[in-house]
Amino acid sequence: MDYRSGTCGRVFSVRFDEGDDFLAGLEEVIRREDIRSAWFWVIGGLRQAAVVTGPKEPVMPPEPVWREFDQARETLGSGSIFWDENDDPKIHLHAALGHHGDTLTACVRKGTRTYLVLEVCIMEINGINASRPWYPEGGFNRLTFTG
């Protein structure tokens, strides 16, 4: 375990509308506002996405199990934003995605289209030197603290 202490910086409220590419739009806000470290929450609907529902086996590095959907799903999730060693933002979002009483819990990765509306609250974290570089032993980008 490793941790650091910081303070709350700026807070953003963002709305995505029907058909918007959620992850691309979120990355656009992150880059435009230069949000280097943050947590965010999302509530609303996704029309489609490609998600990871877990590892095939509990080993490192994991082999992800992918699933795609293209019907409206109620969405409630939480995630973090840290940048990698190539100075690109890395969004890590886990969400519960409901459809007619059936809930899929997953890591939302790509191909996201908004259904009706998604509301996002981004809370910037100040005073933490952190990034999310590639972690070869685990096969993923891992939160790493410096300084």
Side-chain angles (χ1 to χ4, degrees), residues 4 11 22 36 51 61 64 77 94 102 111 129 143:
R4 298 295 186 274
V11 176
F22 166 61
R36 307 302 292 191
V51 301
H94 283 232
D102 180 35
N129 290 323
L143 178 59

Side-chain angles (χ1 to χ4, degrees), residues 57-139:
E57 299 291 333
V59 297
M60 284 184 45
E63 180 183 344
V65 176
W66 286 92
R67 180 164 171 193
E68 295 183 16
F69 65 85
D70 63 357
Q71 77 278 20
R73 287 193 172 257
E74 298 297 323
T75 304
L76 177 64
S78 181
S80 62
I81 301 160
F82 295 95
W83 293 53
D84 70 10
E85 68 276 19
N86 299 314
D87 207 32
D88 288 318
K90 290 295 177 186
I91 298 167
H92 188 196
L93 169 61
H94 283 232
L97 305 153
H99 179 71
H100 295 185
D102 180 35
T103 301
L104 170 67
T105 304
C107 183
V108 180
R109 299 279 182 95
K110 61 184 179 180
T112 54
R113 290 284 170 209
T114 302
Y115 171 65
L116 298 180
V117 67
L118 274 174
E119 298 170 354
V120 180
C121 178
I122 304 171
M123 183 181 68
E124 185 178 48
I125 304 168
N126 289 335
I128 293 179
N129 290 323
S131 62
R132 189 172 274 131
W134 183 251
Y135 176 53
E137 295 86 358

Side-chain angles (χ1 to χ4, degrees), residues 12-30:
F12 298 86
S13 183
V14 185
R15 186 195 75 234
F16 294 91
D17 296 312
E18 170 68 37
D20 285 348
D21 184 333
F22 166 61
L23 288 177
L26 183 59
E27 183 174 329
E28 180 182 333
V29 171
I30 292 165

